[in-house]
Amino acid sequence: MNLPHLHFHRTRIAPTPSGYLHMGNVLAFAITAALAHKAGADVLLRIDDMDRERVRPEYVQDIFDTLQFMDIPYTEGPRDVQQFELDYSQQVRLPLYHKALEQLREKGVVYGCDCTRTQLAGWNMEHGCPGSCREKALALDAPDVNWRLKTNLVPMLHVNTHEGIVTTTLPAEMTDFVVRKKDGCPAYQLTSLIDDVFYNIDGIVRGEDLWHSTLAQQNLAAQLAFTSFQEVLFYHHPLLMNETDKKLSKSAGATSIQYLRKLGNTSADIYTIIGSLLKPVVNADSWRRW
Ligand SMILES: [Zn+2]
């Protein structure tokens, strides 16, 4: 795989401990580490544990075990579970998230949405509120109310990619995405953005499936006046595919590194499997083992 040379000083790997790490995670981390090495950049380990209901201690431990087993280096961040809980958990940064939510409320760029999952599913929309919540002006402090961002206020988005500046608009399915959930917890797009700004990340490597998240976060960054985020360099890498071209997911337990280790695979074996699952997207000649 030919990796471009990119200029940035600090990047991150950001697993979510809601399952055992799988080959897709390892691909993302290995590409991140390789690009950081080429750029002479630092790599921060950031563990996204905001969703407390899905986080389990064994999944947090698995992150440390897998990074070590797969020989993926990082220069900053926690070295073990205890250090993570104490200094790096997203719980530590809750005040930052709530401060940002307050800014959005004061600016008048969020609105309450009390639509249920069933209603949203009935409208066949994963994101956005096709109801009239925006006009209803629901009290933001009312129980069971999502906070949605008025995404149309930022019409054009600019993303600094390894291929140059991409100017585009937010895709329809990200319209008025949720920034605070009904339980009062900050939502993923907000915590991810705040963390990257907080840690001065200037290079982000993530899968192609997160391109829409990148655009959502650029929209949010504009509302929070995080001008530095517009300078962040993004590299979206191709995903792993299995034989039936289905995207690998955590639910497919057979792709977890734990499972592959139990079968007796070495890290080299696992990297070989990952290489065989890389789907060429441009032309076959541009891909090779790395
Ligand atoms: Zn609604």
Side-chain angles (χ1 to χ4, degrees):
M1 181 174 181
N2 285 320
L3 290 171
H5 188 81
L6 307 176
H7 296 282
F8 56 91
H9 301 95
R10 182 182 285 162
T11 183
R12 83 291 196 284
I13 49 182
T16 301
S18 58
Y20 292 111
L21 292 184
H22 54 81
M23 289 191 286
N25 297 125
V26 167
L27 173 69
F29 302 162
I31 293 175
T32 307
L35 286 171
H37 180 72
K38 280 182 97 170
D42 282 323
V43 180
L44 167 77
L45 169 62
R46 189 187 95 200
I47 301 176
D48 288 1
D49 66 334
M50 184 49 60
D51 192 349
R52 300 304 279 182
E53 280 175 28
R54 296 174 66 204
V55 170
R56 281 168 37 186
E58 58 266 41
Y59 297 151
V60 180
Q61 183 60 50
D62 175 64
I63 291 170
F64 294 104
D65 294 345
T66 299
L67 290 176
Q68 190 178 22
F69 181 76
M70 296 305 294
D71 205 13
I72 295 167
Y74 62 96
T75 52
E76 295 176 42
R79 293 289 151 185
D80 55 41
V81 175
Q82 289 78 6
Q83 205 183 1
F84 163 66
E85 291 287 350
L86 203 62
D87 296 329
Y88 291 95
S89 164
Q90 289 188 310
Q91 301 299 312
V92 179
R93 296 186 294 285
L94 268 176
L96 290 179
Y97 308 142
H98 286 298
K99 188 178 153 207
L101 286 166
E102 209 43 51
Q103 267 178 268
L104 296 171
R105 180 221 286 260
E106 280 170 19
K107 218 176 158 191
V109 296
V110 286
Y111 64 93
C113 165
D114 61 358
C115 296
T116 62
R117 274 178 202 278
T118 319
Q119 279 175 315
L120 292 173
W123 282 310
N124 197 24
M125 280 188 70
E126 205 177 316
H127 296 276
C129 168
S132 53
C133 290
R134 194 161 167 167
E135 287 75 46
K136 280 194 248 170
L138 298 167
L140 287 167
D141 289 325
D144 289 332
V145 165
N146 280 317
W147 289 18
R148 290 187 179 277
L149 186 69
K150 298 174 182 173
T151 53
N152 64 323
L153 302 178
V154 181
M156 294 307 290
L157 302 164
H158 310 280
V159 186
N160 185 16
T161 77
H162 69 288
E163 292 172 321
I165 304 282
V166 173
T167 299
T168 185
T169 54
L170 194 69
E173 64 262 43
M174 295 309 275
T175 302
D176 293 0
F177 62 89
V178 173
V179 290
R180 200 193 81 157
K181 298 191 284 185
K182 288 186 176 178
D183 59 7
C185 287
Y188 165 76
Q189 305 296 0
L190 185 122
T191 57
S192 181
L193 168 66
I194 303 271
D195 284 356
D196 285 332
V197 172
F198 176 75
Y199 286 115
N200 293 316
I201 300 300
D202 63 352
I204 294 179
V205 180
R206 49 170 56 150
E208 284 174 343
D209 55 334
L210 289 175
W211 174 246
H212 288 185
S213 283
T214 293
L215 297 176
Q217 289 166 21
Q218 288 292 353
N219 188 302
L220 183 56
Q223 289 295 5
L224 290 168
F226 289 153
T227 48
S228 66
F229 196 70
Q230 287 181 0
E231 313 297 320
V232 172
L233 187 61
F234 283 87
Y235 180 78
H236 287 82
H237 63 79
L239 303 176
L240 293 182
M241 298 292 192
N242 64 16
E243 299 77 28
T244 54
D245 258 14
K246 271 174 65 184
K247 203 183 107 188
L248 287 172
S249 73
K250 281 185 192 181
S251 55
T255 70
S256 82
I257 305 306
Q258 276 237 349
Y259 177 81
L260 293 166
R261 283 177 73 174
K262 277 180 192 148
L263 293 181
N265 288 293
T266 63
S267 58
D269 295 334
I270 297 173
Y271 278 120
T272 302
I273 300 170
I274 290 173
S276 71
L277 289 171
L278 266 177
K279 188 179 167 70
V281 285
V282 186
N283 63 68
D285 295 337
S286 68
W287 293 77
R288 62 168 190 259
R289 285 288 307 281
W290 52 282

